[in-house]
Every structure is written in C-alpha cells, then in structure tokens.
Amino acid sequence: MNLGNLDSLTFFYPELILLGGILLVVISDISLKGLRDRVNPLLTLAALLLALFYTLQTDHGSAMTLFEGMLALDNFALFFKAFMLVAGVLVLLGSLHSEELAAVHQGEFHALLLAVTLGMLLMANSAHLVMLYLSLELVSLTSYIMVGYLRSDRLSNEASMKYILFGAVSTGAMLYGFSLLYGMTGSLDLFAIRDALLAQEVVGFNQVTLMLVVVLTTAGFGFKTAAVPFHFWCPDVYTGAPTPVTAFLSVAPKAAGFAILVRFFLGGLSQPAGEQWGFISGIDWPLVLIVVSVLTMSLGNIAALTQNNLKRMLAYSSIAHAGYILMGAVLLTGTGLKAMLVYLFVYLFMNLGAFFVVTVIFNSEKTFELQDYNGMFRRSPFLAVAMSIFLLSLIGIPPFAGFLGKLYIFGAVIDQGLYWFAVVGALNAAVAAFYYMRIMKHMILENDDRPPTPLQISPLNRALLVLLLVPNILLIVFWSPIDRWTANSITLFGGL
Amino acid sequence: MNFLEMLALIPLFPAAGALINGLLGRRCSRACISTVACGTVGVSFLLSLGAFYQLLGRPEGQRLVEQELFTWIPAGAGELSSGAISQFLVQWGYQLDPLSAVMILVVTGVGFLIHIYSIGYMAHEGGYARFFTYMNLFMFSMLTLVLANNFVVMFVGWEGVGLCSYLLIGFYYERKSAADAGKKAFIVNRIGDFGFMLGMFLIFTAFGTLDFTGVFGLVETQAQAGVLASGDATITAICILLFVGAMGKSAQVPLYVWLPDAMEGPTPVSALIHAATMVTAGVYMVARCSALFVLSPDAMLLVAVVGAFTAIFAASIGLVQNDIKRVLAYSTVSQLGYMFLACGVGAFGAGVFHLMTHAFFKALLFLGAGSVIHALSGEQDMRRMGGLRTRIPATFWTMMVGTVAIAGFPPLAGFFSKDEILWRAFSSSQGHVLLWAVGVLAAGMTSFYMFRMIFLTFLGKSRMSREVDSHVHESPKVMTVPLGLLAVGAVVSGWVGIPHLIGQYLHHLPQYFEHFLSPALAHPAAVEGGHASEGLEWGLMALSVAIALLGLWLARRFYLTHPALPEHLVSRFKHTYTTLLNKYWVDEVYDLLIVNRTKDLANRLAGFDNRVVDGAVNGSAWLTRLTASVSGFFDYWIVDLAVRRSDLIYYLSFPLRRIQTGVIQTYAALTIGGILVIVGYFILT
C-alpha cells in the first residue's frame, strides 16, 4: 500500500516532533539567554521521549510506504526508530554532566543531536535511493559538526576534517553506484529497481556492472557502519570527538548503517522466498560480505590489543562489534536478521555503558590513558564494578546481556551450517576478552602507591549508570520480550 | 454488613497481625504487640460470628458460600486415569458451609481466649513478639485450612499449621529437648503429609479437579449413576492415603509419638495447637471428605479401628504419667481417637461434635495446667504438687469443671458428645460391640487419670518444696477470665447436641448440632437404619456414666483415701507399670527399627559417598592430571611452538596500528584499494 503525502503525515509524528524540537531548541537558544542551559536539555529530552512514545504507539496495520514511496513503514523500521530514539535519550543524559562539553556553549549541540536523530529515523525508513542518500547525508553532516564541536581543541577539529574528507570519498563512491543502478533500471525506487532487475534477467556485461554497483554502494554503508576497509576514519574520529559524541557515533549511526544495508540488499536486490531471501540472479555476494565481516572483527580486535588509550581501544572494539553484527546481516535469513537486531539492542546498552564510564572518569581525571585507571576499584568500587559488568557483557560472558547477542548471532550462523564462520567469531571473542580483561585488571588489581582518593560521581551520572546496568543484568532473565519484539521486527516491507 | 462476602478477611486479619508483629514487633512495646495479636484474632472472631449467624439465617439448602479470590495455579492440562484431559486449575478460594462455620467459630473463639491468656502467661518470657507472630501466623494457617474450598489451598493451611507447630514447639530453642521435639513433630508430620499429597494426586487423576464441591459432586453423581460402586479400589486408596495424612496431623497410632513431646512448647501453644485446633485438623479433613469415605467401608473400618485403638492405647499410658502436661497430651491423643472412631462408624457429625466440645474442655484443662505451672514457678511433676485447692481456687474450680466434662458426667459437654460416639459405635451398621467396649473402657480410664490428676495436684497434702511453696500465687485476671469463659463453654457447649433420647423429655429439644451439620456431611446409607430399642440406649448411657463413676472412685481410693495402694499395685504388677510408664517402649522401638536404621542408611550412604562418589571424583581428578601432563607435554613441544610464533597476533597489532597513519590521503587510497580488490575478485571469478 502506498500512501499519498497528506495521508502519510499521520505516521510521521515522530519525525515531525523532532523537527519541531530542533526549531524550539534553536529559538530558545537565541531568546532565553539566562535559562537556555536548563531549558534546552529538557526540550530535547521531551522531544525525544515524545517521539519515542509516538513511535511505540504507531499502529500501521500492515507494512506500507509513505510519501509516494519515499519511505517504507514496517516493523523493521519501527525497531530502528525506537532504537535511535533510546540511544538519543541515553546520549543526551550522558552528555549533561560531561566536562568536555561543559567547556563550550551547548545550545547547538542539542539541536544537532535532534537533527542527527531525525536523519537516522529517516535512514531506517528510506525506500528510495534519493531519500536514502539525503538522510545519510543529514546524519553525516550533523555528525561532522558534532565531532568538531570542541572548536578550540585541535584533535577535535582534525577528527572532524578527516571525517568530512573520508565521508566525501565514501558517499561519492556510493552515489556513483546509485547512478549506475539508475542507468541499468531507470528507477530510484528500491522496489521498482528490484522488479526491473527481476524482469531484465541481468546477464553478462550487466552482471559485472551490478557487481560494481554493489561494491560501490557498500562503500557508503560500510562508511557508516565502519566495516573494513571503510573503517579508517573510525579510530581517529572516535579519539578526537568529545566522548559523548564518540559513544553516540559508535552506536546509533552504526545501527542506521546496518538498517539501510539490510533494506538495500534485502529490499532492493533480493527477493523474499519464505524464511530466506535469495539474491537476484545468483550473485556470490554473501561470501564477500562474510569476508568483510571476518576482516572487520579480526582487525578491530587485533588492533585493540595494544591500545593504551581507552577511547581508541573502544573505537577498535566497536569496529569489531560491527563485524559480529554483520555476521547476522549477511546470512539473509530471518534468524540472522533477528540475531542482528538482538545484538544491536544489547550492544546499545553495553557499549554506551562502557563509554559512559570513560566519560565519568575523564570528568575528574582528564585522562583516557589505561595506566591512569589503576586502583579505580579502591577509589570508586561502584564505577569499577559497573565498568566490569559492561566489559564482561561486551566479551559475551553470561549472565550479562552481551552473551545473549553472541548466542543469537552464533546460533544463526550455525543454523546456516557456516561452522567455520562461527568458529572465527568465537576465536575473535576470545581475542577480545584479552583487552577487555586488561582494562578490568588495571581498574581492580593494579594499585599505585598513592592513597586512594574517592572519585566523585554526580547523582545524575550515578543514576544513568544504574539505568545502563539494569538491562545488562536483567535482559538475560527477561529475554522473551526481546525475543518476541525482534522476531516481530524482522518483517520488512517488500513493496508488494 | 454482609459477613458472608468477607470470608477472606477472616484469615487475613491474623495474617496482617503476624506481618506487623513479625516486622515491627522488636521495636514495639509488649502492650502494643499483644493488642495487635489479640485484636486481629478478636476481629476474626467477630467476623466469624457474623458469618455464622448469617449462614444460619439462610434456608437449609443454601448454606454454602464460595468465594474465589484469584487464580493461583493455572498449570495446564493433565491426563486423567480415565484418559480424559483436564485442566489443572487451582483457585485461591474459601468456602463457608456448616462444617467450616463450626470450625472457624471454634478456632477463632478458643483461639482468641488463648491469645488473651498468653498475655499473662508470656508476660515474663523473652521472645514476646516472636511468640505472638507465630501464634497469629498459626491462626491464619488454621483458618485457611478450614475455610479452603479445595484440597490445594487446604494443604497450604495444613503445611502452615505444621510449620507454626514446629516453630512453637521449638520456641525455647536453646533447650535441646525443645528443639528435638520440634524436629520430631515436623518429621513425623511429613510422613503423614506424604499420604495427604498422594491422596490429592490420586483425587486429581480420578476426578480431574481438586475443588471440594467439584470432587464431592462428581462422587455423588457417579455413585448414583452406578459408575462408582461402594468399595471402589481407587476410592479406598484415596481414603486410606488421606487418613494417613490425618494420622500424622491428629496424632493417631502409629504416628502419635510427636504429640506428647510437643509439650515442650509454652503451655498456651499446647492448648491452642496441640489440643484445641491443629490436631483436630485430621478429623476435620476426614469429615470434609465424608463423601469419599462413605463409599469405602474398608477405609472406614480402618479409621474406626485405628481410632478405637488409639483411644485406649493412649489412655492406658495416661494412667501412670507424672507430668501434668503429659497426662493431658495422652488424653488428647485418646480423645482424638474417639473422634476418629466416630468418623469410622459413619457418625461424622458426632466426631465433629466431640471435636468442638473437646476444644473447650481440653483448652481449659491445658490453660489450667499452665496456670498451675505458672503458680508453681515452672514445676510440672504432679508428685511435687498437692493441696493447691485453696491456694489457687479459680484454677482449681475451672479445672474441676473441665475434668468433670471430659470424664463424661452429665450434663457437661463431654457427656453428650462422648455418649453419642459410644452409642453410634454400638448401634451403627458399621460399628461393632467390640469398638463400643473399647470405647467404654477408655472412658473409664479417662475418668481415672483425670481425677488422678486433680487429686494429685489440688487435694491431699502439699508435697512442694518450701521454696516453691512460698511463691504459690493465683494467676492474674488476664489468665483466669479466659479460664472461666472456657469453663462455661465446657459446661454448655454440649447442649446444642442433646440426643433425641433425652431431648424428648425436655420440651422435645431437637439434636441441633448434627442437624445443622448434616448438609455438609455424607451419611452412610446403612447407618440410619441401625436403631436399637430405647431401653438399650438408656442402659448403655447409664453404663458409661457408671464406668466414669468407677474411674472417679478408683482414683479417689488410690490417691486420697489409700495412698499406699498405688505403690502396692506397682510392686505387684511391676512389668505392666514400667511398660506403661515407658509408654510401651514405642519411642525406643521406633528408634531401634526406624530412626537408627535411617541413620545407618545415611551412614552407609555417606560411606558410599566417601568411597565411590568421592573416589570417582578423585579418580577423575587423577585422570585429568594425567591427561593434563600428557597435554602439557604436547603443549610444550607443539602448541607452544605455535604460540611462540603466534605472538604474531599480538605483534600483528603494531603493523595494523602503523596503517593508521593519521593521514587522510592514505586512508582514502586504502579504501579505494579495498574496493578495487573486491571488484577485481569478481571480475576474475
């Protein structure tokens, strides 16, 4: 079912609310000189929560497209929209007591956060190549600014510049892919493209072109998800950006990248066949994606081994996790897709949690260096235990939530008979355990001679830590709602 | 107010009291604790009275109120023995019918008086809040037991009272004997509980429900349709298993051994739990299941024989006990035997009648004994009492009333209920002249040991030590007033069930009690037919009074007029005496046959554990170490070589870092290179 422009507005409340929120924040930033530091976060939070409320309320009956086929509205999109908004809320709360951001004026930061969230919401929905490109650019451009938000900080500026340049290269490649696709099929609508490809029975010369299309567009998605070999920007940018922004980048745009990757490949280039999707005209594409996935996680994990800067280590770690998530996406099965969603969901809490601890420690210590974490357990047992739980969750050790993600992913892979793939994944998890444990070792076992001075944590940050800890601990017990939700969310609009 | 709709509140109030005292009791004053504990039970009593009154106001056919609060266990489908599928669904529900109405009145009424009495009795004891918490918890459990509308909720109450009994017997847990007695009660009760549980399982597989109305309705319709014949094997099995449960809870042979030891608890506990209420739960349960029992003459016979045997067996032990509470304990066991005798001959109503009257006079006797013990600073041995009549007159007179009542002298309560049982044992088609004879003999013994207790305690010369003697004092009002009220109950509670025989001369007084109960109970078809002549009934009644008088005369002769006689008899029948004094050596036999054999088994299992299980563990540890050393060898020479090379993974990290030059041009070039590699791969394949 395709809805016209006016009818679509009913299902567009979350985006409209964010849009309104952006405007309000900008206006209040200009007009309320004295109050803006208090009003802006509240406005932002209200907009995000209201949008989240409407997203969860959306009852679209059946999957459909909005705005004359520009956006697809299905359970898959709703999952990602809710995901982005939750991530937005958590990052907002995490940024409130960040010393890095406190040094600069924060008015635009909140507007940018809303804008980037809006972009990601649209990314998850896009069913049209133009829409896809525009929303991706909206996310990218706002991210560039957020990365360079610390104007007086050289590293931040450099990171922003690198991000822009690298993004330009990747999106350029992606656009070239899109143009080729348009040339071949005469359409920018994903479902029309698929129908054209199905009708034309692409052979010979055209098949190589199609291959080129796939590789080039993957560059665009790979840039967002930071998959090898499109990940190079990632460590530098993550290190240079303010930590709350890093945390945000490591979770939300990455998830959005996966959303469009899945929608592009499954919606546009393959046909649903029961539980499984088949790629059009037998392209040996999954193998490439599998290789990319293996490379991504291996490179991420191995490079993280020798890092001594926490932020950089977590940057590489997030590359590795993108590899795991990709494992689920490349299977082209319902279980694989579901596993990917579960993994993303638990990743949200464990990764944001780890980054948040880093933020809190930086607030008082002004350092990201590992050896400065020595004796943290004696200085703030709560913080050390919280970090340990996040790290154990990232390793995938039960009973923490990360285990659930790995369980689903490896289960889906084994389900497809790709045992070696699962083994590689498991070996990677073992390698990853090394550097995660290293952080714990520094925090808990290593003490320097200084007498321990208690570390101050603001009540808000403490509450947020608890908020992030709860899902990490409890999801393993209450996994059935997650299981049901994700199982329900893999229905993708097929354009039929 | 419609009390019938507030059934759930009756057990809820004591539960709230237990919660309050349990959580906050340590910080409250004693006055506050006792107010909460007695107040909640008092409110329950008032609610019960109201509910009883309104139930009475209903027409006879509609005296059944059910109230289902919530679905407790929706466990899903189960297969019945008939092959049908039935949902196992348990509602948390209460029901009030004449039977449970009588029970809640007895439980809350007697319970309330005992709570009041406890204020005085426990005034100088530690663990005040703990005591009242347990007591209230007991009241909640007991009320749940009698109000339940299905077997599962009843079982919750059943286990709850068992737990409270354990906790209260072991109230003075610093004393080893008390702790041991608590454990003994709990373990022996568990044996009975298994019977109850198996009975429940069997009921579900046979009928597909555990609701009382459901089960008994099905039994009735199936019996009428001829599907269930009298003597059906399944029904017999169910009844016997349920009766095993009743044996444990109501202290019948062979599971009675815990009750005398339970006297280690504070005396109000003995009165409430081990005389008036909890131990009668078995009788209540058998009466509740009367619809099942009437279909199984074999099970009925077992109940009657066990009851009669317990009655005389316990009474004979009671003849020679010297501890005032133990006499009463064996008396309780014996009286419970009477109740089962009644149930066994099909006179469930008479059993419940005796249950009610017994609750009054036995609670009275226990509380009186408590008052004596209180007066004598803890002395319990009757050989060191005597001559207390004038010293503690209120206690003496009330206990005297209780004794006359239990001995079966008209017109006190015990006479009517006990005579009813004896007459039914004689006249019912399921009765037998032997059962009657045993009952009469036990009645004579009862009269004897009860008056023996009175004479030894209150009459004759004082045998107390000077120290104790100087401290003798009458108990405070808070203890004697409940005694007085219970004494009134012990006199009048029998009048609601005056037999037709006597009633016809008293303005045609009907047999209110059994008439009231009859809708809730089943009646064996044959019982009503067994009418004997009026003259015979008068004769038997006179005989039972005569034998009670004989007991009184013997006791007087032995312990007042000819004090040398008992010693003479003891030396003459030395073996009989020692056997009785040592309670037929039953505890020793149990120790020998069961307890020590269980310990042996445990020791042997421990030995098995040590040698075989631990051996296996140690062996596997040895095996593991062997494989470990083998694999260590392998490790050292093969894997380590690989690992020494595989530091590579770690060192690989450095070139990977090296790639990350920070120069954006390099990055772009590498990315484009990556794309080209992939494209190249496709073009080449």
Side-chain angles (χ1 to χ4, degrees):
Chain A
M1 186 169 56
N2 289 327
L3 288 187
N5 284 338
L6 280 179
D7 293 334
S8 303
L9 287 177
T10 340
F11 300 102
F12 206 55
Y13 285 146
E15 288 85 349
L16 291 176
I17 289 164
L18 290 184
L19 211 52
I22 296 168
L23 296 175
L24 279 177
V25 169
V26 169
I27 291 169
S28 96
D29 196 44
I30 297 167
S31 51
L32 304 173
K33 287 283 183 215
L35 281 173
R36 62 185 181 191
D37 288 342
R38 288 172 191 282
V39 170
N40 285 350
L42 286 178
L43 270 178
T44 315
L45 188 64
L48 287 170
L49 288 178
L50 203 60
L52 181 63
F53 173 76
Y54 273 104
T55 306
L56 296 177
Q57 285 287 305
T58 310
D59 178 18
H60 54 81
S62 60
M64 59 182 122
T65 57
L66 307 177
F67 299 108
E68 312 284 0
M70 280 293 180
L71 301 175
L73 186 66
D74 46 27
N75 287 338
F76 182 76
L78 286 181
F79 174 90
F80 276 97
K81 283 164 83 168
F83 181 92
M84 308 307 174
L85 289 165
V86 170
V89 169
L90 292 175
V91 168
L92 173 71
L93 294 176
S95 70
L96 290 181
H97 282 194
S98 159
E99 297 287 326
E100 292 168 83
L101 288 172
V104 288
H105 173 55
Q106 290 179 45
E108 296 99 8
F109 180 79
H110 295 121
L112 287 170
L113 185 64
L114 286 174
V116 75
T117 310
L118 174 65
M120 292 189 301
L121 257 54
L122 293 172
M123 258 170 101
N125 273 8
S126 304
H128 194 275
L129 293 184
V130 169
M131 199 60 222
L132 213 158
Y133 171 71
L134 284 176
S135 56
L136 194 136
E137 279 298 273
L138 176 56
V139 173
S140 298
L141 288 170
T142 40
S143 313
Y144 302 153
I145 308 175
M146 284 167 85
V147 168
Y149 203 74
L150 306 176
R151 266 160 298 187
S152 53
D153 186 280
R154 202 187 58 84
L155 266 180
S156 179
N157 285 319
E158 184 192 328
S160 179
M161 189 52 74
K162 280 182 182 166
Y163 200 13
I164 294 172
L165 290 174
F166 197 88
V169 173
S170 308
T171 31
M174 184 183 76
L175 268 186
Y176 184 47
F178 284 179
S179 68
L180 282 176
L181 200 55
Y182 182 69
M184 287 166 68
T185 59
S187 175
L188 287 170
D189 183 299
L190 269 185
F191 309 116
I193 289 171
R194 184 189 55 198
D195 292 343
L197 287 172
L198 280 174
Q200 265 190 354
E201 300 257 324
V202 180
V203 280
F205 163 76
N206 278 346
Q207 188 157 12
V208 176
T209 322
L210 189 57
M211 211 50 71
L212 203 59
V213 168
V214 171
V215 177
L216 290 173
T217 46
T218 307
F221 308 146
F223 163 63
K224 274 275 149 262
T225 57
V228 173
F230 316 105
H231 70 285
F232 288 104
W233 60 276
C234 186
D236 292 5
V237 170
Y238 280 14
T239 316
T243 318
V245 174
T246 309
F248 183 68
L249 289 182
S250 72
V251 173
K254 204 180 271 270
F258 281 111
I260 51 168
L261 181 126
V262 167
R263 195 176 288 285
F264 183 77
F265 285 124
L266 298 192
L269 294 186
S270 48
Q271 48 192 338
E275 257 287 89
Q276 208 163 350
W277 287 268
F279 257 114
I280 286 163
S281 63
I283 311 171
D284 189 16
W285 185 236
L287 184 66
V288 174
L289 277 183
I290 287 174
V291 171
V292 167
S293 150
V294 167
L295 281 179
T296 307
M297 64 178 115
S298 307
L299 183 133
N301 281 329
I302 292 172
L305 285 178
T306 50
Q307 300 299 331
N308 289 319
N309 180 309
L310 252 281
K311 233 165 139 186
R312 216 168 163 81
M313 188 188 280
L314 287 177
Y316 280 110
S317 132
S318 81
I319 295 178
H321 282 281
Y324 298 128
I325 298 168
L326 206 54
M327 284 174 92
V330 299
L331 293 174
L332 303 174
T333 60
T335 43
L337 211 50
K338 183 175 142 190
M340 183 185 124
L341 297 188
V342 172
Y343 201 102
L344 273 172
F345 188 72
V346 298
Y347 175 72
L348 168 70
F349 294 106
M350 55 195 188
N351 205 48
L352 280 186
F355 266 112
F356 189 56
V357 174
V358 172
T359 312
V360 170
I361 291 179
F362 182 81
N363 278 350
S364 62
E365 303 298 300
K366 306 286 179 261
T367 176
F368 296 117
E369 291 303 314
L370 192 54
Q371 66 264 23
D372 295 328
Y373 279 54
N374 289 355
M376 204 50 80
F377 183 72
R378 279 163 59 197
R379 304 184 53 194
S380 171
F382 172 66
L383 205 60
V385 168
M387 186 61 165
S388 303
I389 288 175
F390 295 133
L391 293 175
L392 289 172
S393 198
L394 282 167
I395 300 174
I397 287 180
F400 303 111
F403 168 71
L404 207 59
K406 291 237 172 26
L407 181 73
Y408 271 89
I409 286 280
F410 293 160
V413 169
I414 289 169
D415 216 31
Q416 284 301 99
L418 296 167
Y419 296 106
W420 67 270
F421 194 18
V423 167
V424 170
L427 282 177
N428 258 291
V431 172
F434 176 78
Y435 62 85
Y436 289 130
M437 293 285 194
R438 216 174 124 219
I439 306 177
M440 286 165 64
K441 178 178 153 237
H442 274 275
M443 291 184 88
I444 297 171
L445 296 180
E446 309 229 329
N447 291 313
D448 38 24
D449 302 329
R450 284 176 296 167
T453 46
L455 198 86
Q456 295 302 321
I457 311 173
S458 70
L460 175 83
N461 285 351
R462 201 174 273 272
L464 185 58
L465 273 175
V466 173
L467 190 69
L468 287 164
L469 276 174
V470 166
N472 273 299
I473 296 167
L474 283 190
L475 273 183
I476 202 92
V477 183
F478 298 104
W479 59 272
S480 73
I482 304 305
D483 184 79
R484 258 181 280 131
W485 186 33
T486 49
N488 193 31
S489 296
I490 56 170
T491 45
L492 217 66
F493 182 55
L496 302 170
Chain B
M1 278 209 289
N2 190 347
F3 292 102
L4 294 178
E5 283 176 8
M6 306 196 297
L7 284 186
L9 291 182
I10 297 175
L12 205 63
F13 268 100
L19 206 63
I20 295 169
N21 277 341
L23 294 179
L24 310 172
R26 277 158 178 258
R27 268 172 255 159
C28 293
S29 66
R30 296 199 162 208
C32 166
I33 292 167
S34 48
T35 310
V36 168
C38 300
T40 51
V41 176
V43 171
S44 280
F45 177 56
L46 292 178
L47 288 172
S48 307
L49 266 182
F52 181 83
Y53 180 73
Q54 286 178 351
L55 191 76
L56 214 57
R58 289 193 163 199
E60 244 170 69
Q62 295 172 20
R63 287 181 184 163
L64 172 66
V65 184
E66 284 198 73
Q67 194 180 41
E68 294 195 331
L69 298 183
F70 56 91
T71 302
W72 179 32
I73 310 177
E79 194 180 337
L80 307 187
S81 56
S82 60
I85 301 292
S86 182
Q87 295 294 323
F88 186 89
L89 181 78
V90 180
Q91 305 277 350
W92 190 279
Y94 292 123
Q95 88 173 38
L96 190 74
D97 64 352
L99 182 56
S100 48
V102 169
M103 290 303 292
I104 56 170
L105 273 189
V106 170
V107 171
T108 54
V110 176
F112 178 59
L113 292 178
I114 296 176
H115 269 74
I116 299 282
Y117 174 94
S118 305
I119 298 174
Y121 189 85
M122 297 302 288
H124 312 296
E125 307 271 347
Y128 198 72
R130 186 161 58 93
F131 177 82
F132 278 106
T133 305
Y134 292 163
M135 290 287 270
N136 271 12
L137 191 62
F138 169 79
M139 291 301 284
F140 162 73
S141 307
M142 189 69 203
L143 288 166
T144 301
L145 194 164
V146 296
L147 278 172
N149 81 336
N150 60 62
F151 281 98
V152 186
V153 174
M154 186 190 201
F155 189 65
V156 172
W158 189 272
E159 290 295 301
V161 293
L163 170 71
C164 295
S165 162
Y166 163 76
L167 291 171
L168 284 165
I169 294 170
F171 184 75
Y172 302 115
Y173 55 82
E174 315 89 347
R175 211 160 62 202
K176 186 174 184 308
S177 58
D180 284 348
K183 278 186 280 183
K184 188 173 180 181
F186 200 76
I187 292 167
V188 174
N189 265 295
R190 294 307 302 166
I191 299 171
D193 294 346
F194 271 111
F196 191 170
M197 282 195 274
L198 291 174
M200 276 203 295
F201 301 159
L202 211 51
I203 289 172
F204 182 76
T205 53
F207 300 106
T209 175
L210 286 169
D211 287 349
F212 291 147
T213 43
V215 173
F216 304 141
L218 271 173
V219 169
E220 205 169 317
T221 49
Q222 288 184 2
Q224 273 166 4
V227 185
L228 270 181
S230 179
D232 182 87
T234 314
I235 300 287
T236 304
I238 290 173
C239 290
I240 290 177
L241 287 170
L242 290 179
F243 182 55
V244 169
M247 275 179 187
K249 189 86 13 193
S250 294
Q252 296 297 291
V253 173
L255 299 181
Y256 73 97
V257 286
W258 63 272
L259 186 55
D261 288 12
M263 298 304 132
E264 291 285 348
T267 306
V269 170
S270 309
L272 177 64
I273 301 186
H274 305 118
T277 56
M278 183 192 84
V279 287
T280 61
V283 181
Y284 165 76
M285 190 255 279
V286 170
R288 172 61 75 202
C289 300
S290 54
L292 289 165
F293 277 88
V294 292
L295 283 176
S296 172
D298 296 341
M300 296 268 282
L301 183 65
L302 179 72
V303 174
V305 168
V306 168
F309 181 70
T310 306
I312 193 158
F313 180 79
S316 68
I317 298 174
L319 294 175
V320 299
Q321 294 302 312
N322 292 319
D323 182 313
I324 187 168
K325 282 180 75 181
R326 285 204 172 241
V327 174
L328 291 173
Y330 282 104
S331 162
T332 305
V333 177
S334 167
Q335 297 299 313
L336 289 165
Y338 271 109
M339 299 174 206
F340 280 108
L341 171 62
C343 293
V345 299
F348 298 102
V352 176
F353 186 28
H354 195 56
L355 184 163
M356 181 189 77
T357 56
H358 175 257
F360 285 104
F361 54 68
K362 189 50 68 61
L364 166 62
L365 287 167
F366 263 114
L367 294 188
S371 179
V372 171
I373 296 165
H374 195 70
L376 300 188
S377 326
E379 180 59 70
Q380 298 197 11
D381 193 328
M382 294 190 294
R383 286 170 299 191
R384 288 196 285 276
M385 297 181 184
L388 288 171
R389 182 168 67 100
T390 48
R391 313 281 298 276
I392 45 174
T395 307
F396 167 70
W397 285 111
T398 48
M399 274 192 90
M400 195 65 201
V401 171
T403 304
V404 175
I406 194 175
F409 289 104
L412 275 69
F415 166 74
F416 295 106
S417 54
K418 186 184 284 185
D419 199 63
E420 181 78 14
I421 292 173
L422 290 175
W423 168 243
R424 299 298 277 274
F426 182 81
S427 69
S428 158
S429 60
Q430 275 159 329
H432 194 276
V433 71
L434 268 179
L435 292 175
W436 170 82
V438 169
V440 170
L441 195 56
M445 289 183 180
T446 307
S447 175
F448 176 80
Y449 65 68
M450 286 312 300
F451 281 106
R452 170 177 175 262
M453 184 192 88
I454 289 287
F455 296 153
L456 282 177
T457 307
F458 293 102
L459 303 178
K461 284 201 200 95
S462 167
R463 297 178 296 279
M464 293 174 283
S465 65
R466 185 162 308 174
E467 168 74 22
V468 173
D469 201 309
S470 59
H471 285 108
V472 172
H473 58 284
E474 180 60 290
S475 300
K477 277 275 184 319
V478 73
M479 288 165 74
T480 50
V481 169
L483 282 176
L485 290 173
L486 283 171
V488 172
V491 175
V492 304
S493 65
W495 298 352
V496 296
I498 294 175
H500 176 70
L501 192 66
I502 301 173
Q504 61 188 328
Y505 300 107
L506 299 169
H507 303 286
H508 295 279
L509 266 179
Q511 225 293 21
Y512 284 119
F513 192 77
E514 292 195 25
H515 184 71
F516 173 67
L517 274 186
S518 85
L521 299 173
H523 305 277
V527 170
E528 305 300 331
H531 270 296
S533 75
E534 219 174 79
L536 183 62
E537 203 175 339
W538 276 116
L540 294 178
M541 201 179 278
L543 189 65
S544 75
V545 174
I547 203 139
L549 277 171
L550 180 69
L552 165 62
W553 178 75
L554 276 178
R556 184 169 179 278
R557 196 171 150 75
F558 276 29
Y559 297 100
L560 285 183
T561 51
H562 297 80
L565 214 54
E567 273 170 42
H568 178 65
L569 275 177
V570 164
S571 56
R572 183 131 175 236
F573 301 100
K574 199 161 177 54
H575 290 295
T576 320
Y577 177 75
T578 42
T579 309
L580 286 180
L581 191 65
N582 288 295
K583 305 157 276 177
Y584 294 99
W585 315 99
V586 169
D587 276 331
E588 286 74 8
V589 172
Y590 279 7
D591 275 351
L592 190 71
L593 289 182
I594 300 167
V595 179
N596 289 339
R597 296 294 78 77
T598 313
K599 285 182 182 166
D600 286 350
L601 181 68
N603 284 335
R604 236 166 276 154
L605 286 177
F608 177 81
D609 201 46
N610 272 333
R611 280 191 289 279
V612 182
V613 179
D614 284 5
V617 173
N618 292 339
S620 64
W622 176 81
L623 205 67
T624 312
R625 273 169 55 194
L626 186 72
T627 33
S629 53
V630 171
S631 77
F633 181 82
F634 175 81
D635 249 17
Y636 187 76
W637 290 107
I638 297 166
V639 180
D640 272 14
L641 272 179
V643 169
R644 253 168 261 146
R645 298 288 140 257
S646 85
D647 289 353
L648 274 180
I649 293 198
Y650 190 76
Y651 293 117
L652 210 61
S653 194
F654 292 105
L656 280 178
R657 291 178 64 168
R658 202 63 48 76
I659 298 175
Q660 207 73 32
T661 51
V663 179
I664 193 75
Q665 288 88 335
T666 321
Y667 295 175
L670 283 168
T671 302
I672 300 298
I675 293 175
L676 289 179
V677 167
I678 300 173
V679 173
Y681 163 79
F682 279 117
I683 293 175
L684 289 178
T685 47

